[in-house]
Amino acid sequence: MRKEILVDVKNLTHQFHLTKKAVIRAVDDVSFQIFKGEIFGLVGESGSGKSTVARCLMNIYEPSAGSIQYRGIDICDKREFQKNKQMLQTRRQIIFQDSTSSLNQRMKVADIISEPMKIHHITPPRGSYRKEAEFQMKYVGLDESFLDRYPSEMSGGQRQRVAIARALSMEPEFLVADEPIASLDVSIQAQVINLFRHLQQEHGFTFLFIAHDLAMVEYLCDRVGVMYHGRMVELAPAKELFSNPLHGYTKTLLSAIPIPDPVRERKRKLLVYDGADFGKGELKEVSPDHFVLQRSEGGYTGEKA
């Protein structure tokens, strides 16, 4: 059965101009697809370009080069975007890593959650905006007493759950989650991850899930892309990637996953990727659905790590 492509990213490049001469290439010629109904994970160290990719997908940043198609619509084309603006703004939602800056500190939680519905003139499915906000709060594990609080009166984990509730209130088709659980307690992390899994299985939501926690990525994601210095170095189904990593940087990342056994943990060997031959090559399919950055003369970049 052929999978339906929801998001198609081709040769995406984005540069930040610090001065007239100083340029940082945050994303460099990245291509991948996200299929409808899947959870696509994006991993890599801080500064690898993951969040920049997410912001390009949500039209927060305008890419320097390349194309992004959502349901066949070129969202980088201003005319196409304006033509489909209502659909694109309601069906796509993003959860930012920093809940403090993403929530209006002068608004109460009830108004924060219902604001997107009011902006897009959406009738609340449960009769009133207050009832809808109450339902979404229970969905993310908070009771209705929080509805009349301001973000400053809540903990970081509680604020992040409000941000998640606000995104879910639109019942989006595509949800970008940029480090959504980084500020949460372990028990709440599990609750939110299980919520994401439920939304995928029961409602068919599609996710781009960005995270540092590789164990969580392995549990949650269907496919995973690994980024290093703005490039996609490996892309494969989650089980395949974790059982058979091929790129040196991927092996280095996976070697850093803690082992819940003190004896084995002490014996664990951490790999080091020096990036000596990084960037010399292109992403090629080496086995079904498994892509690795390869040198033009053959072999993987960083395969000795």
Side-chain angles (χ1 to χ4, degrees), residues 1-8 33-40 71-72 200 206 221-224 235-240 285 288-291:
M1 183 177 176
R2 189 171 180 178
K3 297 177 182 177
E4 181 183 344
I5 298 171
L6 185 67
V7 180
D8 192 359
Q33 296 173 329
I34 300 176
F35 301 118
K36 187 174 181 181
E38 80 167 343
I39 299 181
F40 184 91
R71 284 192 163 276
Q200 181 212 28
T206 305
C221 299
D222 301 300
R223 289 189 303 136
V224 181
L235 171 61
K239 289 182 180 178
E240 169 73 11
E285 190 170 19
D289 296 326
H290 194 158
F291 299 82

Side-chain angles (χ1 to χ4, degrees), residues 108-115 117-118 124-149 154 161-162 164-166 168-170 191 195:
K108 291 184 177 180
V109 168
D111 297 320
I112 288 172
I113 295 174
S114 59
E115 185 182 29
M117 290 183 285
K118 292 176 181 177
R126 287 156 194 90
S128 69
Y129 291 121
R130 178 85 183 189
K131 289 281 186 184
E132 188 64 32
E134 186 179 317
F135 174 81
Q136 297 299 342
M137 287 289 277
K138 287 180 180 177
Y139 218 43
V140 296
L142 293 175
D143 62 63
E144 59 185 279
S145 65
F146 286 92
L147 290 174
D148 293 311
R149 295 190 189 183
M154 306 173 76
R161 281 186 276 173
V162 170
I164 293 170
R166 176 179 61 183
L168 297 181
S169 70
M170 297 297 289
Q191 182 180 337
L195 170 61

Side-chain angles (χ1 to χ4, degrees), residues 17 19-20 22 53 66 84 96-97 113 115 121 137 172 180 194 228 251 255 279 292 301 303 305:
H17 294 267
T19 64
K20 288 183 178 180
V53 169
N84 299 277
F96 294 99
Q97 181 177 354
I113 295 174
E115 185 182 29
H121 308 291
M137 287 289 277
N194 287 328
Y228 177 73
K251 293 176 183 177
S255 75
V292 188
T301 61
E303 61 186 323

Side-chain angles (χ1 to χ4, degrees), residues 4-293:
E4 181 183 344
I5 298 171
L6 185 67
V7 180
D8 192 359
V9 179
K10 292 180 180 177
N11 308 113
L12 178 66
T13 298
H14 187 70
Q15 299 179 153
F16 291 104
H17 294 267
L18 304 180
T19 64
K20 288 183 178 180
K21 294 183 179 180
V23 175
I24 293 178
R25 183 166 286 199
V27 178
D28 186 7
D29 197 28
V30 168
S31 299
F32 63 93
Q33 296 173 329
I34 300 176
F35 301 118
K36 187 174 181 181
E38 80 167 343
I39 299 181
F40 184 91
L42 207 54
V43 300
E45 61 195 58
S46 296
S48 60
K50 308 183 301 298
S51 294
T52 303
V53 169
R55 283 162 170 73
C56 288
L57 261 60
M58 293 299 294
N59 292 102
I60 297 171
Y61 293 159
E62 185 178 341
S64 305
S67 69
I68 304 170
Q69 291 199 339
Y70 180 84
R71 284 192 163 276
I73 300 165
D74 185 355
I75 64 172
C76 299
D77 184 301
K78 292 181 180 179
R79 189 173 295 178
E80 282 290 297
F81 178 81
Q82 286 298 326
K83 188 178 176 182
N84 299 277
K85 188 175 180 180
Q86 175 76 8
M87 181 274 287
L88 291 170
Q89 289 187 338
T90 55
R91 290 193 181 181
R92 304 178 305 159
Q93 294 293 315
I94 184 170
I95 302 165
F96 294 99
Q97 181 177 354
D98 182 10
S99 59
T100 304
S101 60
S102 67
L103 300 179
N104 190 329
Q105 302 298 311
R106 297 184 178 183
M107 292 176 69
K108 291 184 177 180
V109 168
D111 297 320
I112 288 172
I113 295 174
S114 59
E115 185 182 29
M117 290 183 285
K118 292 176 181 177
I119 290 172
H120 295 287
H121 308 291
I122 295 172
T123 303
R126 287 156 194 90
S128 69
Y129 291 121
R130 178 85 183 189
K131 289 281 186 184
E132 188 64 32
E134 186 179 317
F135 174 81
Q136 297 299 342
M137 287 289 277
K138 287 180 180 177
Y139 218 43
V140 296
L142 293 175
D143 62 63
E144 59 185 279
S145 65
F146 286 92
L147 290 174
D148 293 311
R149 295 190 189 183
Y150 291 96
S152 60
E153 300 173 319
M154 306 173 76
S155 69
Q158 290 167 344
R159 286 196 298 269
Q160 187 66 306
R161 281 186 276 173
V162 170
I164 293 170
R166 176 179 61 183
L168 297 181
S169 70
M170 297 297 289
E171 297 188 355
E173 177 183 49
F174 179 55
L175 185 63
V176 174
D178 186 1
E179 299 275 6
I181 59 173
S183 63
L184 305 180
D185 296 334
V186 174
S187 59
I188 302 303
Q189 284 185 3
Q191 182 180 337
V192 171
I193 289 299
N194 287 328
L195 170 61
F196 286 163
R197 177 64 77 187
H198 168 76
L199 291 170
Q200 181 212 28
Q201 294 175 344
E202 300 296 323
H203 303 283
F205 281 19
T206 305
F207 289 84
L208 171 61
F209 183 75
I210 298 172
H212 277 103
D213 190 332
L214 294 171
M216 204 66 82
V217 168
E218 183 180 16
Y219 168 74
L220 181 67
C221 299
D222 301 300
R223 289 189 303 136
V224 181
V226 181
M227 290 192 67
Y228 177 73
H229 284 214
R231 296 290 303 273
M232 184 81 77
V233 297
E234 191 160 0
L235 171 61
K239 289 182 180 178
E240 169 73 11
L241 186 85
F242 281 83
S243 63
N244 183 33
L246 297 177
H247 193 275
Y249 179 66
T250 308
K251 293 176 183 177
T252 302
L253 274 184
L254 299 188
S255 75
I257 300 176
I259 301 171
D261 180 330
V263 177
R264 292 174 60 203
E265 176 66 19
R266 280 194 292 270
K267 295 179 180 178
R268 177 165 61 102
K269 182 183 178 183
L270 288 173
L271 300 177
V272 178
Y273 176 60
D274 61 11
D277 59 353
F278 167 72
K280 302 171 184 176
E282 59 180 301
L283 209 62
K284 293 183 180 179
E285 190 170 19
V286 295
S287 63
D289 296 326
H290 194 158
F291 299 82
V292 188
L293 191 67

